[in-house]
Amino acid sequence: MDELDESQLRKEVDSRKMQLQIAREKCSVSVPELVKWIEEKMSDDPFLNAELLKDNPWVESGKCIML
C-alpha cells in the first residue's frame, strides 16, 4: 500500500469522523419498509403494468430499423 502523507491522513480521519455521525438504521427495520413501499407503487409502475404504457405519449410506436 502506498504511503499517505499527513494531509491525506487528516482527510481520511475527518471523513471517518463524519461517517460516525451519520444516523444508521438496522436492515431489519428498513427492509420491510422498503418492501412495503415497493408493493404500494407496483400498480403505478408502467414497466410492470402494460396498460399504463398505452397512455404514455413518449412510447415509440414502431421498432428501430438499422439502415
Side-chain angles (χ1 to χ4, degrees):
M1 185 170 166
D2 296 333
E3 294 290 324
L4 299 175
D5 65 359
E6 186 178 345
S7 65
Q8 291 173 322
L9 289 172
R10 286 187 189 278
K11 287 179 185 178
E12 186 69 27
V13 169
D14 291 341
S15 174
R16 299 293 168 102
K17 286 179 180 178
M18 286 180 16
Q19 290 176 16
L20 282 172
Q21 295 175 358
I22 296 173
R24 309 217 183 252
E25 191 170 277
K26 291 184 176 186
C27 289
S28 61
V29 174
S30 60
V31 170
E33 291 175 1
L34 179 61
V35 169
K36 180 182 173 194
W37 181 83
I38 291 170
E39 288 173 346
E40 289 173 356
K41 304 295 181 183
M42 281 176 61
S43 62
D44 299 333
D45 190 337
F47 293 110
L48 299 175
N49 188 353
E51 295 171 359
L52 294 176
L53 282 176
K54 294 176 184 175
D55 299 333
N56 187 348
W58 302 105
V59 173
E60 294 181 16
S61 59
K63 297 192 182 240
C64 179
I65 301 174
M66 298 293 291
L67 298 176

